[in-house]
């Protein structure tokens, strides 16, 4: 059973601080990694994708991937109240032509004023 | 930017009734998926669809579920005889090879 693990939180950070969200996955052959943001009652919205070891930056967001440790993280710099949401880690296992995403339970982030 | 469109946004049905959830993927998507999310739980894979046939399905996707792409644009999920435990948000998603999935806004299904 392929698993994606996240701390459910809530993770509370003050406005302007760095939020660090972590995710581990069980299958070493995982190929693609994604962070989605989900507001309550809404659909997942893609924030970042990362495919190779190292860091990938996009604006205030940085994704970090360490395949040897089976670990992927998301850093949010200068956190804003609008960043308050649940962040879903998703892993694509190459199971065939239409590879599915496996999601973690999500980490709820609260950015306080 | 094109969006994946789902209808209806909210469907209320009685136990035992059939429901059809509809999705219009982005035109250049090749792969189509249905996921569901029970309130407070994780997003779960139901089924993937490619080249007009099911590529993979989960244990959740039993004989009560079916998918179709009847006219080359719409992508539907049918639940033949709904149960209380089918109450969830259902998300359609689409994508291309080696691209992230883009999700629709979801249909909230309430079975009473």
């Amino acid at each position: 059973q392929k698993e994606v693990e996240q701390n459910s939180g809530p993770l509370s950070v003050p406005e302007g601080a760095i939020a660090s969200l972590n995710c581990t996955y069980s299958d070493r052959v995982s190929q693609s990694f994604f962070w989605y943001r989900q507001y309550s009652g809404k659909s997942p919205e893609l924030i970042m994708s990362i495919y190779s070891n190292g860091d990938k930056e996009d604006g205030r967001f940085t994704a970090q991937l360490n395949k040897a440790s089976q670990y992927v993280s998301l850093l949010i710099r200068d956190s804003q109240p609008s960043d308050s949401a649940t962040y879903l880690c998703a892993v694509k296992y190459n199971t065939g032509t239409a590879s599915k995403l496996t999601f973690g339970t999500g980490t709820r982030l609260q950015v306080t004023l | 930017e094109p969006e994946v469109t789902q209808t209806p946004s909210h469907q209320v049905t009685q136990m035992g009734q059939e429901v059809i959830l509809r999705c219009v993927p982005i035109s250049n998507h090749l792969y189509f998926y249905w996921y569901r999310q029970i309130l407070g739980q994780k997003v779960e894979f139901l089924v993937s669809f490619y080249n007009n046939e099911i590529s993979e399905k989960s244990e959740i996707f039993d004989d009560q579920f079916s998918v179709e792409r009847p006219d080359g644009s719409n992508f539907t999920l049918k639940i033949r005889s709904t149960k209380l435990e089918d109450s969830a948000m259902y998300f359609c998603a689409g994508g291309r090879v080696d691209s992230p999935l883009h999700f629709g806004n979801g249909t909230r299904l309430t079975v009473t």
Side-chain angles (χ1 to χ4, degrees), chain A residues 6-26:
Chain A
Q6 294 182 258
N7 187 322
S8 61
L11 172 66
S12 185
V13 299
E15 184 177 5
I18 296 174
S20 177
L21 305 162
N22 304 314
C23 172
T24 58
Y25 58 94
S26 62

Side-chain angles (χ1 to χ4, degrees), chain A residues 36 38 43 95 97 99-101, chain B residues 31 33 35 37 56 101 104:
Chain A
Y36 284 83
Q38 187 177 34
S43 62
T95 57
T97 305
S99 300
K100 66 186 183 191
L101 288 182
Chain B
Y31 306 99
Y33 306 79
Y35 286 80
Q37 187 176 31
E56 186 179 357
L101 296 190

Side-chain angles (χ1 to χ4, degrees), chain A residues 1-74:
Chain A
Q1 182 79 355
K2 297 176 173 63
E3 298 288 343
V4 178
E5 300 288 342
Q6 294 182 258
N7 187 322
S8 61
L11 172 66
S12 185
V13 299
E15 184 177 5
I18 296 174
S20 177
L21 305 162
N22 304 314
C23 172
T24 58
Y25 58 94
S26 62
D27 196 319
R28 287 189 173 272
V29 300
S30 304
Q31 295 188 326
S32 310
F33 307 87
F34 306 89
W35 284 98
Y36 284 83
R37 178 175 63 197
Q38 187 177 34
Y39 293 112
S40 181
K42 303 296 185 182
S43 62
E45 173 193 5
L46 181 69
I47 297 295
M48 292 282 288
S49 59
I50 186 165
Y51 305 98
S52 55
N53 280 329
D55 294 1
K56 179 182 177 183
E57 187 174 318
D58 184 0
R60 295 187 296 112
F61 300 97
T62 299
Q64 300 174 316
L65 175 61
N66 184 326
K67 289 188 176 182
S69 301
Q70 295 174 233
Y71 176 90
V72 59
S73 65
L74 179 70

Side-chain angles (χ1 to χ4, degrees), chain A residues 1 3-4 31-32 34 36 38 40-46 49 51 88 92 95-106, chain B residues 31-33 35 37 41-45 48-50 55-56 58-59 89 91 96-106 108:
Chain A
Q1 182 79 355
E3 298 288 343
V4 178
Q31 295 188 326
S32 310
F34 306 89
Y36 284 83
Q38 187 177 34
S40 181
K42 303 296 185 182
S43 62
E45 173 193 5
L46 181 69
S49 59
Y51 305 98
L88 309 177
K92 183 180 280 192
T95 57
T97 305
S99 300
K100 66 186 183 191
L101 288 182
T102 299
F103 284 86
T105 54
Chain B
Y31 306 99
F32 311 101
Y33 306 79
Y35 286 80
Q37 187 176 31
Q41 297 187 23
K42 67 169 68 176
V43 177
E44 300 175 290
F45 168 76
S48 58
F49 193 84
Y50 170 72
S55 296
E56 186 179 357
S58 71
E59 294 172 352
M89 283 288 287
F91 297 111
R96 298 179 59 85
V97 174
D98 296 330
S99 73
L101 296 190
H102 293 272
F103 286 81
N105 287 333
R108 180 178 300 282

